[in-house]
DNA sequence: CCCTACACGTGACAC
DNA sequence: TGTGTCACGTGTAGG
């Protein structure tokens, strides 16, 4: 473990190789580091400063290790594994869990919220997908009407966007669509703005007839 | 980095302190490690074996580090963070994510139970959330009716509570709602009582018409 | 005796 | 400058 720092022979070794010279024989192995720190308060020699820096460094590194390990221990309690599993295999399990979570939350995060009273559009630019495609989520909440879904389909088709998943909740004449949409490689973030505008005009077409003006536009980026 | 292993002075230092003796002066610093490995194939001296073991050890440790770091890199891609985030803060985020997952799965367990015959309200004050918000779960089981969900929404909106997740099971005219609700910072446990009372009056409004008195109130705290 | 996994101290590099 | 993070080689305990 090499706990006793001051008595460690490595220190003598390092001190010699650093051209250390102070109050005694230059090449001799007197090693007065400890005393010079405690008795001589004034004039911290460069050697002492280096030694102090080394100590700081050592302790900082220890704190860092402890921080990391505390997180690992917390993960150990959170996962189905005892306290004596490998650091590496623990992390492997963690990776599995996080992947799981990614799928689940991507699926069900916000799609089970009820339709709100106000009209809403949100396009959340998503994360890197599995096979290189860009996945993002679009949500549309408005008054329900029979031709809404077909029109939505038209918009997505014209933009060459593919609906990976759609979740629809209707209640009390209101509807909320949450779409998981895949964009291919020649799409840029520009496409998301196109989609936003298309959805916006879709809502306007719906509202221009008679509805009270209660539309609200929400644009969010992750 | 200390890449040049054979020329490192630490090696000489260690060799001296190990009582190493072979074919030359005992205390002298001849250090014939490299040659004895390459020229003398027979009779691996204990010193050579120790040196080989040290090399093996070194490489094994490197492999271990790489294994751990590869998992960490995978986590970096899975989480919303760039490739230059701290190892410690990365693990902190991972802990948050795994906690999230734990909540969700714990919730899923009981939310797929069928609606019971008796009316039930339960508000379970939940655990510390990821970003400081308080997450808790509210469950409502009663006779199904079309305006129930909108009224529920009104209640939550008026209390400024956000539905993170909603699970609904209806069977035979009965409905069970299990809501995962997020309260923000200026909410206290008082808000949960408000919610309880609101849900209670919601059920009473439903029952006052004609229903048989079979309501039962369940209040649970986790 | 391996071998594995861990904690430690240290040099290097970044801001 | 110091302050923090990382990779490395090493000592050491347990299988």
């Amino acid at each position: 473990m090499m706990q006793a720092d001051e008595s460690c022979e490595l220190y003598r070794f390092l001190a010699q190789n650093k051209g250390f010279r102070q109050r005694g024989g230059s090449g001799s192995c007197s090693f007065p580091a400890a005393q010079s720190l405690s008795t001589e308060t004034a004039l911290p020699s460069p050697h002492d400063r280096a030694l102090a820096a080394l100590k700081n460094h050592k302790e900082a590194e220890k704190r860092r290790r402890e921080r990391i390990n505390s997180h690992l221990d917390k993960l150990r309690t959170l996962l189905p594994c005892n306290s004596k599993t490998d650091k590496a295999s623990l992390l492997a399990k963690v990776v599995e869990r996080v992947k799981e979570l990614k799928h689940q939350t991507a699926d069900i995060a916000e799609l089970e919220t009820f339709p709100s009273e106000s009209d809403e559009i949100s396009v959340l630019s998503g994360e890197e997908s599995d096979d290189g495609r860009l996945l993002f989520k679009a949500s549309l909440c408005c008054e329900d009407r029979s031709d809404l879904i077909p029109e939505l389909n038209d918009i997505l088709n014209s933009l060459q966007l593919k609906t990976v998943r759609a979740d629809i909740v209707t209640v009390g004449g209101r509807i909320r669509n949450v779409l998981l949409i895949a964009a291919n490689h020649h799409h840029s973030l520009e496409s998301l703005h196109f989609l936003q505008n298309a959805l916006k005009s879709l809502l306007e077409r719906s509202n221009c007839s008679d509805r009270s003006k209660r539309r609200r536009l929400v644009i969010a980026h992750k």
Side-chain angles (χ1 to χ4, degrees), chain A residues 145-157 202:
Chain A
R145 53 193 170 91
S146 60
D147 57 342
L148 187 78
I149 307 287
E151 287 184 18
L152 205 52
N153 258 334
D154 290 344
I155 290 175
L156 294 174
N157 283 335
L202 178 63

Side-chain angles (χ1 to χ4, degrees), chain A residues 119-121 138-156 158-159 175-177 179 193-209 211 213 215 217:
Chain A
D119 291 0
E120 285 178 23
I121 299 171
S139 171
L140 175 67
C141 179
C142 62
E143 205 74 12
D144 195 8
R145 53 193 170 91
S146 60
D147 57 342
L148 187 78
I149 307 287
E151 287 184 18
L152 205 52
N153 258 334
D154 290 344
I155 290 175
L156 294 174
S158 69
L159 287 175
I175 186 171
R176 159 156 278 163
N177 301 309
L179 309 175
H193 291 111
F194 282 133
L195 179 62
Q196 264 174 20
N197 289 330
L199 295 179
K200 192 175 158 188
S201 66
L202 178 63
L203 277 204
E204 274 164 1
R205 253 177 290 156
S206 170
N207 281 330
C208 68
S209 55
R211 289 284 168 226
K213 296 299 177 196
R215 193 163 59 72
L217 185 61

Side-chain angles (χ1 to χ4, degrees), chain A residues 49-198:
Chain A
R49 302 210 316 133
L51 210 60
L54 201 62
K55 185 176 177 179
N56 276 345
H57 183 34
K58 189 180 5 179
E59 288 166 353
E61 179 65 12
K62 184 169 180 61
R63 280 195 301 273
R64 173 179 165 269
R65 273 195 303 261
E66 283 170 353
R67 198 148 18 105
I68 291 176
N69 283 333
S70 81
H71 286 146
L72 287 178
D73 286 339
K74 208 173 296 179
L75 284 174
R76 256 181 262 266
T77 71
L78 257 49
L79 282 154
C81 71
N82 51 27
S83 71
K84 209 40 204 168
T85 44
D86 266 329
K87 216 180 275 193
S89 8
L90 169 67
L91 284 177
K93 289 186 191 219
V94 169
V95 168
E96 293 305 310
R97 284 295 250 220
V98 174
K99 271 191 193 168
E100 236 180 277
L101 174 65
K102 205 173 176 61
H103 289 155
Q104 288 201 2
T105 52
D107 293 344
I108 58 179
E110 41 194 302
L111 40 87
E112 273 151 2
T113 59
F114 300 125
S116 58
E117 291 227 33
S118 61
D119 291 0
E120 285 178 23
I121 299 171
S122 82
V123 178
L124 293 106
S125 82
E127 12 228 328
E128 8 57 57
S129 139
D130 38 3
D131 54 338
R133 298 184 305 175
L134 178 71
L135 280 182
F136 65 96
K137 198 160 19 173
S139 171
L140 175 67
C141 179
C142 62
E143 205 74 12
D144 195 8
R145 53 193 170 91
S146 60
D147 57 342
L148 187 78
I149 307 287
E151 287 184 18
L152 205 52
N153 258 334
D154 290 344
I155 290 175
L156 294 174
N157 283 335
S158 69
L159 287 175
Q160 293 189 331
L161 295 170
K162 189 159 167 282
T163 303
V164 175
R165 222 193 123 145
D167 287 87
I168 303 171
V169 181
T170 62
V171 53
R174 305 274 308 162
I175 186 171
R176 159 156 278 163
N177 301 309
V178 180
L179 309 175
L180 186 60
I181 297 176
N184 39 26
H185 322 80
H186 43 273
H187 276 105
S188 66
L189 288 180
E190 211 59 40
S191 307
L192 301 197
H193 291 111
F194 282 133
L195 179 62
Q196 264 174 20
N197 289 330

